[in-house]
C-alpha cells in the first residue's frame, strides 16, 4: 500500500450508470464502498470524486446521452444527484460509515479564496471521519464555466487534500501506446513524463465527458504536487485495493521527486484559461531570471475577459507558453495601460498604482513538468499598437 494515509478515488459515469437503462450499478457501488471500508479500517482517509449524476437523471426527464442538450443535462443533474447520493448513502450505511456531498464549480477551484474555503470544508469532513463525495455542480453550470471533466477535478482535489495517491477507475486497464482496439497495442505500465503520451490519448465514452487525454492531464497535475496516479479498470471484485496492491494490470504515473508547493500547483495547474498575454522575448528573459514582474511596456497582445486576481497564461513572441501569474488588473485596464504607456496610471484609471501587470512574486515560470497550453487563435488576440 502507499505510504500516504490519504487517497482520492475518481469514478467515471460508465461505471456508476448502466449505459442502456441509465440506472445505478448497485453491484459496482457495493464493491467500491467495500474497498473504501477496507481502506478506512486500515487507517486510510478516502475522498471520492464521482461522476454519474447527469447519466442517472437522463431517464427521469425523458432524454438520452445522444439527445440531451445543455439545459437537459442541467435538469438531469438535478434529478440524478439524489439518486446517486442515495445509492452511496445506502451502501455506506451497510459498511458503518458516513458520507457527505461536496458540490463544487469551476470558480470554487480557480478562485483562491473559494479554493481555500472548499479545502477547509473537505478537511473538516475528513477530520470527522466522514468520506466526502465530491461532484461538480452540473445543475447550475454552463459549458463555459464547467470544470469539464471529473478527472482533472479529482486531481485538483488530490492537490487540495495533499493526497499521495489518486486512483482513476475507468473502463480500460490503463494507458495504451495506441488505440487499445488496434492489434499489437501495449499497456503502458509506468509513466514518468505525461507529455510523451498525449498524442495517443483520444476518444471519450458515451456517458463520460473525458477520455484518456483528461486522465493524463489529471496525472500531470497530480505529479506536480507529489501524488502518484493509478489508472485502471473499475470492473473488478475489489476495484481499488487490487490496483493498490498491484494484483491487477494498471498504469502508474509516478509523482515527481520534488513536488511543487501548494501555492505553485494552484497557480500553475489550471482547469480553464481566464486570459493570456503575449510579451516580448526580452521581458520573458527577465521573468525567467526572476528579475522583475511583467510591465505594461512588455505586452504585445492580450486575450480573454479576465479580472483582477485571475491567472494569466504568459506567452513569448513565438507562441510558447513560458509562465503563469496573477493579474493585477482587468483586461480592459490592461489594454488601456499597454496602449498608453507614457500616460500616468492615475490619469488613465482614476487611482494611483504602478503599472506592473503581474508582480514578480505572483509569477511561476513553467518547466518541462508542466503541460503547456496552445496560444489562443490570432482572431481572439487584442493587439497592442506598435510602440
Amino acid at each position: 500500500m502507499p505510504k500516504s494515509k490519504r487517497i482520492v478515488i475518481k469514478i467515471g459515469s460508465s461505471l456508476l450508470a448502466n449505459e442502456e437503462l441509465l440506472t445505478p450499478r448497485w453491484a459496482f457501488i457495493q464493491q467500491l464502498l467495500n474497498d473504501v471500508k477496507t481502506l478506512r479500517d486500515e487507517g486510510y482517509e478516502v475522498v471520492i470524486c464521482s461522476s454519474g449524476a447527469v447519466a442517472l437523471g437522463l431517464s427521469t426527464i425523458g432524454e438520452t446521452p445522444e439527445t440531451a442538450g445543455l439545459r437537459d443535462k442541467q435538469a438531469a443533474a438535478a434529478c440524478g444527484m439524489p439518486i446517486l447520493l442515495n445509492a452511496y448513502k445506502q451502501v455506506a450505511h451497510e459498511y458503518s460509515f458516513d458520507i457527505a456531498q461536496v458540490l463544487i464549480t469551476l470558480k470554487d477551484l480557480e478562485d483562491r479564496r473559494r479554493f481555500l474555503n472548499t479545502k477547509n470544508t473537505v478537511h473538516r469532513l475528513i477530520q470527522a471521519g466522514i468520506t466526502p463525495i465530491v461532484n461538480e455542480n452540473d445543475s447550475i453550470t454552463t459549458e463555459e464555466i464547467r470544470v469539464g471533466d471529473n478527472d482533472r477535478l479529482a486531481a485538483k482535489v488530490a492537490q487540495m487534500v495533499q493526497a499521495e495517491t489518486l486512483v482513476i477507475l475507468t473502463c480500460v486497464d490503463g494507458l495504451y501506446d495506441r488505440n487499445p482496439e488496434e492489434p499489437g497495442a501495449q499497456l503502458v505500465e509506468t509513466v514518468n513524463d505525461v507529455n510523451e503520451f498525449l498524442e495517443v490519448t483520444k476518444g471519450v465514452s458515451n456517458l463520460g465527458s473525458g477520455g484518456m487525454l483528461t486522465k493524463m492531464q489529471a496525472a500531470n497535475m497530480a505529479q506536480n504536487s507529489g501524488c502518484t496516479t493509478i489508472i485502471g479498470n473499475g470492473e473488478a471484485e475489489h476495484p481499488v485495493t487490487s490496483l493498490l496492491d498491484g494484483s491487477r494490470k494498471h498504469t502508474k504515473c509516478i509523482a515527481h521527486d520534488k513536488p511543487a508547493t501548494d501555492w505553485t500547483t494552484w497557480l500553475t495547474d489550471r482547469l480553464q484559461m481566464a486570459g493570456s498575454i503575449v510579451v516580448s522575448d526580452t521581458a520573458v528573459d527577465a521573468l525567467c531570471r526572476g528579475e522583475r514582474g511583467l510591465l505594461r511596456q512588455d505586452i504585445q497582445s492580450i486575450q480573454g475577459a479576465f479580472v483582477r486576481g485571475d491567472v494569466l497564461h504568459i506567452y513569448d513572441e513565438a507562441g510558447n507558453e513560458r509562465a503563469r501569474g496573477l493579474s493585477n488588473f482587468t483586461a480592459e485596464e490592461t489594454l488601456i495601460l499597454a496602449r498608453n504607456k507614457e500616460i500616468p496610471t492615475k490619469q488613465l484609471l482614476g487611482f494611483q498604482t504602478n503599472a506592473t501587470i503581474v508582480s514578480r512574486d505572483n509569477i511561476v515560470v513553467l518547466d518541462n513538468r508542466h503541460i503547456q497550453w496552445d496560444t489562443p487563435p490570432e482572431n481572439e488576440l487584442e493587439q497592442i499598437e506598435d510602440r
Side-chain angles (χ1 to χ4, degrees):
M1 285 289 189
K3 295 179 181 179
S4 172
K5 290 294 184 180
R6 194 163 290 166
I7 296 172
V8 175
I9 304 170
K10 184 268 175 179
I11 307 104
S13 295
S14 59
L15 292 171
L16 289 162
N18 183 290
E19 190 167 348
E20 294 181 2
L21 302 177
L22 299 177
T23 55
R25 299 184 68 220
W26 289 96
F28 169 78
I29 297 172
Q30 196 87 25
Q31 293 288 354
L32 171 70
L33 296 193
N34 184 19
D35 269 0
V36 172
K37 169 65 173 175
T38 299
L39 293 170
R40 286 170 56 92
D41 289 346
E42 295 177 0
Y44 289 85
E45 297 169 337
V46 181
V47 179
I48 295 175
C49 291
S50 178
S51 303
V54 173
L56 292 175
L58 283 174
S59 59
T60 305
I61 64 169
E63 295 289 345
T64 67
E66 294 76 23
T67 62
L70 174 59
R71 288 194 302 170
D72 300 323
K73 291 177 181 178
Q74 290 173 318
C79 296
M81 191 59 69
I83 298 173
L84 178 66
L85 265 293
N86 178 62
Y88 278 126
K89 185 72 174 178
Q90 286 191 46
V91 178
H93 181 72
E94 293 179 24
Y95 292 115
S96 302
F97 67 89
D98 289 323
I99 65 161
Q101 182 183 36
V102 180
L103 284 175
I104 61 176
T105 65
L106 178 70
K107 278 295 185 182
D108 295 323
L109 298 175
E110 301 285 73
D111 179 87
R112 184 63 180 173
R113 179 177 296 179
R114 291 168 67 168
F115 175 85
L116 293 175
N117 287 337
T118 305
K119 178 178 180 178
N120 290 338
T121 298
V122 173
H123 273 282
R124 183 63 185 91
L125 291 169
I126 292 173
Q127 184 183 39
I130 298 168
T131 297
I133 310 288
V134 181
N135 315 87
E136 185 170 8
N137 195 354
D138 289 315
S139 62
I140 65 169
T141 55
T142 65
E143 294 293 347
E144 292 77 16
I145 60 172
R146 296 187 69 239
V147 172
D149 62 83
N150 280 339
D151 296 317
R152 292 184 303 151
L153 183 152
K156 292 296 287 187
V157 171
Q159 291 178 341
M160 178 188 296
V161 302
Q162 298 175 312
E164 181 134 320
T165 306
L166 167 63
V167 178
I168 299 179
L169 298 180
T170 183
C171 54
V172 294
D173 290 329
L175 172 69
Y176 284 81
D177 60 358
R178 70 196 77 172
N179 189 323
E181 297 180 358
E182 293 182 14
Q186 297 292 318
L187 180 71
V188 180
E189 295 183 354
T190 304
V191 173
N192 290 299
D193 184 0
V194 166
N195 287 282
E196 297 177 5
F197 299 96
L198 294 181
E199 291 301 316
V200 299
T201 55
K202 306 295 181 183
V204 300
S205 70
N206 289 335
L207 292 182
S209 60
M212 193 55 66
L213 173 61
T214 63
K215 291 167 179 56
M216 287 293 99
Q217 292 171 333
N220 177 257
M221 294 165 63
Q223 284 179 318
N224 294 337
S225 62
C227 177
T228 292
T229 300
I230 295 174
I231 303 170
N233 198 322
E235 300 285 4
E237 185 176 351
H238 297 288
V240 179
T241 56
S242 59
L243 293 176
L244 293 172
D245 65 21
S247 61
R248 287 199 297 123
K249 293 188 295 184
H250 63 272
T251 295
K252 180 179 288 186
C253 302
I254 307 299
H256 294 306
D257 293 335
K258 297 180 179 179
T261 64
D262 290 347
W263 163 251
T264 298
T265 55
W266 176 83
L267 196 151
T268 56
D269 290 329
R270 313 307 295 166
L271 298 171
Q272 288 190 0
M273 185 187 293
S276 69
I277 48 178
V278 177
V279 303
S280 67
D281 290 340
T282 301
V284 167
D285 292 340
L287 296 181
C288 291
R289 291 193 297 267
E291 295 176 353
R292 61 176 176 81
L294 185 65
L295 308 177
R296 57 175 165 174
Q297 57 264 35
D298 299 326
I299 300 176
Q300 296 188 346
S301 63
I302 75 168
Q303 175 271 337
F306 55 87
V307 298
R308 298 176 194 175
D310 275 346
V311 174
L312 299 180
H313 296 239
I314 302 171
Y315 295 85
D316 61 21
E317 295 181 36
N320 301 309
E321 189 182 8
R322 304 297 297 276
R324 292 172 192 167
L326 291 180
S327 176
N328 291 327
F329 300 96
T330 66
E332 182 181 7
E333 291 167 342
T334 302
L335 268 178
I336 293 172
L337 290 171
R339 286 176 170 169
N340 301 277
K341 61 183 184 297
E342 303 298 337
I343 301 176
T345 55
K346 186 173 184 179
Q347 183 177 340
L348 290 171
L349 304 180
F351 56 90
Q352 185 62 47
T353 181
N354 62 42
T356 302
I357 306 301
V358 183
S359 305
R360 181 180 62 179
D361 293 340
N362 289 334
I363 292 176
V364 174
V365 177
L366 302 185
D367 55 29
N368 293 333
R369 70 170 61 182
H370 297 100
I371 297 176
Q372 295 186 359
W373 291 35
D374 294 335
T375 184
E378 189 71 23
N379 61 359
E380 294 184 9
L381 298 175
E382 191 77 37
Q383 300 292 335
I384 307 302
E385 296 177 356
D386 292 339
R387 295 188 292 273

